[in-house]
Structures are given as C-alpha cells and as structure tokens.
Amino acid sequence: PLLHQWTKANALFKPPVINQCRTIELKLTKLWHKAVETSLGKGNLARKNEFLHTLDTLFDILTCKCSIQLCSESNCSHSGKRENNSHIDCGCPREKKIPVLELEFIKAQRTKAEGQGSMQMGSIDYSETKKQIANAKKREQIREREQKKKMKSEEAIQREEELCQDVYHFFDKPPLTTSLTSQELRNLKETPMQVPKWPSHTQSVERCVKMVTEAAGHVYSHKRR
C-alpha cells in the first residue's frame, strides 16, 4: 500500500528515485520500535515530542534529501507563472533526482504540521501518468539501443584485435623460414641456409610491386572493408 500511494502520486516514484524495498522495511521497523517505546513511556519528554512531531510529516522514502525552496520564499520572478513553483539545489545522480513536477508537493509534505499541509494527495492524474509511462518507455528503448550499439562496437574492436593478432603471428617469423619445418630449422645449425639472390631495387621489383598492388585493389580496399 505504501509504494502504491507513492506510485499513485507519480509513476516515476520507483527505485532508485525512492528507496529499495529492503531499506523501506528497515525504516518502518525502526519507526515501529520508536512507537512502541513511546507508548510504553520510555525515553524523555523531548524524544517523545520529537516522535509525535514526525507522525505529522511525510514518511520520506525518497533517495534525494536535498532541500527544496519555493519560488515565493526566494522572491523568484517566476513565482505563480509556471507549473512548478519550486527550486532544488540537487547534486544527486540524475536517476535519483525527484521529478520536477513533484518538488512543490514533496516540500509541502516534508514541512506540514498537525497533519495538514498546503498540498494533499488526490486522485490519479491519468493523462500525466500516461505521459510519464510513455516517456519512461522511450528512455528505456533509447538505453537499450545505446547498449546494443556499444556491444556491436565492442565486438568490432574485438574482431579487429583478433585480426591484428593473426597478422602479427603471420609475420612474426622471417619470410625465408616460414615454410621450413622444425627439423629443417635445427639442421641449419650444421648446414647454413643457402639464400638465393633476390633482385632488389630494380625495375623488375618495381613492376612486381605495381602488379601486386593492382591485384590487391580488386579484392581489398577501404570501401570493401
């Protein structure tokens, strides 16, 4: 029932904007123990009066405890000219912030005395609730798309790293010995390798490089990547 009342006030009142169920249970248990002690006459008068005063205020399960100030209290020029007539200097993470539309209501609930405040909880605003649910769904879809995009990017980076590793392992040996077996390599200790004379810095090499480049361009290019 408690969570239902908060959700009834605003569909955005859910964790982490409000406390987790376990935290709420601990708060209720602590408050109940105080009520039992007060009813049994335990504790001094000041403690009893403090507890009785809290009964008239909001059972606050909001994560954000930042102070809220009304426009009328700060002589704001927007006082009475907009839907929300309050300010909050909040340093909480965005996902834990109090919905702007509810700042004035929360302020009234936190400061009410003797069970009365400037604002009271009424019936559900179905149009606003529908809008909030649609916006929350849209934000969730955006978050899922960004997460999928991030996963694809990470997969692409991983594939690129694997390709680089393959290329590294391919070229980590001298070209003249890549085709030799282990036994042939050991035999080179006794019989030095006879390296044939390869043409270098000649027109034939330049022609070969040009032909290889042209052939590679047909099967590999920046566009094909």
Side-chain angles (χ1 to χ4, degrees):
L2 174 65
L3 295 179
H4 174 71
Q5 284 296 100
W6 280 82
T7 307
K8 176 183 175 182
N10 192 303
L12 299 178
F13 280 145
K14 57 183 180 180
V17 176
I18 62 175
N19 298 141
Q20 299 289 343
C21 291
R22 178 56 180 166
T23 305
I24 296 173
E25 290 175 0
L26 292 175
K27 284 185 176 182
L28 286 171
T29 302
K30 185 177 180 180
L31 184 62
W32 175 254
H33 288 162
K34 284 185 178 180
V36 172
E37 291 177 357
T38 303
S39 65
L40 295 176
K42 296 182 180 180
N44 53 34
L45 182 61
R47 186 175 180 181
K48 179 180 179 181
N49 291 335
E50 180 184 357
F51 172 75
L52 293 176
H53 175 71
T54 59
L55 295 179
D56 294 329
T57 58
L58 174 71
F59 180 68
D60 200 344
I61 60 174
L62 289 167
T63 304
C64 174
K65 304 299 181 184
C66 299
S67 177
I68 303 172
Q69 190 174 26
L70 300 178
C71 292
S72 57
E73 296 174 345
S74 59
N75 296 322
C76 176
S77 58
H78 296 103
S79 179
K81 297 181 181 180
R82 59 182 184 179
E83 188 175 0
N84 175 49
N85 294 310
S86 55
H87 302 272
I88 183 170
D89 185 13
C90 181
C92 299
R94 184 174 182 178
E95 63 273 11
K96 296 182 180 181
K97 290 182 180 294
I98 302 173
V100 176
L101 287 175
E102 306 303 333
L103 290 176
E104 191 174 358
F105 171 74
I106 296 300
K107 169 73 173 181
Q109 294 298 308
R110 284 177 174 176
T111 57
K112 71 178 181 179
E114 298 181 359
Q116 295 182 355
S118 59
M119 299 183 70
Q120 301 295 330
M121 186 178 295
S123 59
I124 299 176
D125 187 344
Y126 289 100
S127 60
E128 181 62 30
T129 301
K130 185 177 180 180
K131 186 190 301 182
Q132 291 172 358
I133 293 174
N135 290 336
K137 186 177 180 180
K138 185 177 180 180
R139 286 194 296 270
E140 181 65 20
Q141 291 174 346
I142 293 174
R143 188 188 66 81
E144 290 178 356
R145 285 199 299 268
E146 290 178 348
Q147 188 174 4
K148 289 180 180 179
K149 186 177 180 181
K150 182 180 179 182
M151 290 178 62
K152 288 182 179 179
S153 177
E154 291 176 350
E155 290 175 357
I157 293 174
Q158 184 177 359
R159 287 196 299 269
E160 189 72 19
E161 290 177 350
E162 291 174 353
L163 178 61
C164 290
Q165 288 291 334
D166 293 340
V167 173
Y168 171 78
H169 290 306
F170 181 78
F171 289 107
D172 63 349
K173 297 179 181 179
L176 292 176
T177 60
T178 52
S179 60
L180 299 179
T181 64
S182 299
Q183 184 59 44
E184 289 174 337
L185 289 173
R186 284 192 288 269
N187 293 338
L188 293 178
K189 293 181 180 180
E190 304 296 334
T191 306
M193 184 178 185
Q194 299 296 323
V195 181
K197 293 183 179 180
W198 297 95
S200 178
H201 301 293
T202 62
Q203 290 183 350
S204 59
V205 173
E206 293 177 0
R207 284 196 298 269
C208 183
V209 171
K210 183 179 179 181
M211 292 173 62
V212 171
T213 303
E214 291 177 353
H218 291 290
V219 295
Y220 182 80
S221 65
H222 180 75
K223 183 178 180 180
R224 291 177 181 273
R225 275 188 291 174

